[in-house]
Amino acid sequence: GNPLSTRVSGAPSGNPCFAVACRLGRYARMKTGYGISLNGERDMLVRLTSSTSGEVVMLAEHLRGLLEVLDKDCTARGIFTLEQLPPTIAKLKTLVEADRQAAHLYEQAKIQAENQAGKMAGEAAENEVEEDAEDDETADETPIWLGQRAVPLLHLMERTLREKGFILWQADRDF
């Protein structure tokens, strides 16, 4: 089917979203503190090391979403071989582009919903929104999308492929 025909639950009627962003929505908007998981426990870091081009360190919960898209197991140790890099890079590029477009649609829908709410409620709602915005500065935070989290790994993979290497990842335990 047409990926544009998928709708995001809760989005205003008529705003399409790419199927990949819908399928990955639970990962796309993860908000955590630095190294602290949503349940308050310290989150695990995963080190992805290229045989030729440096390394990237990611939180396990964020890498999990990427590895699932790439059909990789979330084990304590893993590898992207030289032969696996070209199709993996292509998948990540597709994800990044689809996610970028989905993020744009999300922002448009958010703005449209805010404008509609403002028009319907009139001046009283505008005054209330201004007061709420002063009280809660985090209300306007932009979510970090999965495609944004993929970019450093994508760059590492591209450099590693050019230099004909491989990438290993290592964590304290399976994630």
Side-chain angles (χ1 to χ4, degrees):
N2 180 354
L4 291 175
S5 66
T6 304
R7 305 251 183 251
V8 177
S9 62
S13 178
N15 285 334
C17 181
F18 288 91
V20 69
C22 296
R23 187 170 55 115
L24 300 172
R26 64 177 180 224
Y27 303 111
R29 288 174 291 255
M30 286 185 180
K31 289 185 180 181
T32 62
Y34 295 98
I36 306 297
S37 68
L38 295 174
N39 64 9
E41 296 177 6
R42 184 125 186 102
D43 200 359
M44 182 172 49
L45 295 175
V46 181
R47 184 176 309 273
L48 296 111
T49 306
S50 168
S51 62
T52 61
S53 301
E55 67 182 27
V56 170
V57 177
M58 296 182 73
L59 291 172
E61 68 180 292
H62 301 155
L63 182 60
R64 182 184 311 114
L66 294 172
L67 292 179
E68 287 177 357
V69 168
L70 300 172
D71 298 321
K72 288 287 207 174
D73 293 326
C74 299
T75 56
R77 292 175 188 253
I79 187 169
F80 291 104
T81 64
L82 177 61
E83 295 77 24
Q84 292 171 334
L85 285 175
T88 301
I89 289 169
K91 276 186 180 180
L92 279 180
K93 283 183 176 181
T94 301
L95 169 70
V96 168
E97 182 55 33
D99 220 35
R100 183 175 291 132
Q101 292 176 12
H104 178 72
L105 290 172
Y106 171 83
E107 289 301 319
Q108 284 181 330
K110 183 177 168 185
I111 290 167
Q112 182 182 14
E114 289 170 356
N115 289 342
Q116 258 182 337
K119 287 179 186 176
M120 290 173 35
E123 239 177 76
E126 290 176 16
N127 293 336
E128 215 174 281
V129 169
E130 288 174 11
E131 290 171 11
D132 289 345
E134 291 173 7
D135 293 340
D136 187 9
E137 293 177 12
T138 61
D140 292 330
E141 287 183 13
T142 302
I144 309 264
W145 296 83
L146 187 62
Q148 289 172 295
R149 297 190 191 283
V151 172
L153 178 58
L154 179 59
H155 290 167
L156 180 68
M157 288 180 168
E158 289 172 334
R159 286 191 311 269
T160 301
L161 179 62
R162 276 194 304 272
E163 298 169 7
K164 303 210 182 305
F166 57 89
I167 296 174
L168 297 173
W169 74 79
Q170 183 173 350
D172 293 337
R173 63 184 183 279
D174 290 356
F175 55 98

